[in-house]
Amino acid sequence: MTDHDFDALTREAVRDRLDRVTDPELDRSIVELEYIDAIEIDAGTVTVHLTLPTAWCSPAFAWMMAVDSRTEVEELLAVDRARIYLHEHMHELEINRGVNAGRSFAEAFPDAEDTVDAVRLELDRKARTARQYDAVEALLEAGLDSETIVSLRPTDLERTDGDDQLSIYLSDRAVGVSVPAEPIERYLEKARETGLVDAPTDPLFLTPEGEPIDPEEFELVHRRGRLAQVNMSSQGGICDGLRESRERRLEGASD
């Protein structure tokens, strides 16, 4: 590694990588949620300090955020090693030791009932279902009916560079409908990340269990998406309130 590589390593670059890490329960970036307290850079070593809204946040959730943070930061070419330190958490000792030593969750928490992979799988399913709700709502607002929506494939979508809209082509591309790109692409990111939408001809939308949607079951599947979305929004509101309370407490202590 050259000195130039070190010069290119900035807190902004590290923060950009951390912005890809989400709170798995809320499906929101840990940067957006203001979990990051400090980023320290010493040559090729990056140290990230983070604090969650509560000390009793699930150890599996906290572990995932710490591991994902370390993985994302170490993707930067100028980084030799990333160290992640969780603060004010009831399991911070086990998490900090385990994550920075490269141990598995099972090694750090041998008495845990569930594996972290099982927890991640369930939370990914919930996030995908909530994102699908937002994407489908955008299509319904654009005038598409349920039968058309369940028949869509990724190959039906077309994005113009620099445009914030997607074109959806129907009737053998004879008809095009313009819809907002953000909710569709955000859903597709999670669907592809979880391996459910790989090929251009795969069904675009699925049941929470990952099966194609029967047109007659569309309303039921969409309601399940709404429940997932409301649940995440509610949890997010609680976490925002807890974070603001912690910030006020810290401000009061410093006065």
Side-chain angles (χ1 to χ4, degrees), residues 183-194:
I184 312 295
E185 292 183 340
R186 190 165 183 270
Y187 159 72
L188 265 174
E189 177 185 36
K190 181 61 72 172
R192 285 169 173 155
E193 178 186 308
T194 52

Side-chain angles (χ1 to χ4, degrees), residues 135-205:
V136 169
E137 278 290 288
L139 297 179
L140 289 170
E141 290 178 8
L144 275 67
D145 59 33
S146 59
E147 188 171 347
T148 298
I149 291 172
V150 301
S151 71
L152 290 175
R153 304 288 187 268
T155 191
D156 296 321
L157 309 177
E158 185 174 300
R159 174 76 180 265
T160 303
D161 289 344
D163 196 354
D164 61 358
Q165 299 287 304
L166 279 175
S167 294
I168 297 180
Y169 290 97
L170 311 171
S171 304
D172 295 325
R173 301 183 70 81
V175 179
V177 177
S178 182
V179 299
E182 194 274 336
I184 312 295
E185 292 183 340
R186 190 165 183 270
Y187 159 72
L188 265 174
E189 177 185 36
K190 181 61 72 172
R192 285 169 173 155
E193 178 186 308
T194 52
L196 293 179
V197 179
D198 287 326
T201 54
D202 283 342
L204 184 59
F205 299 116

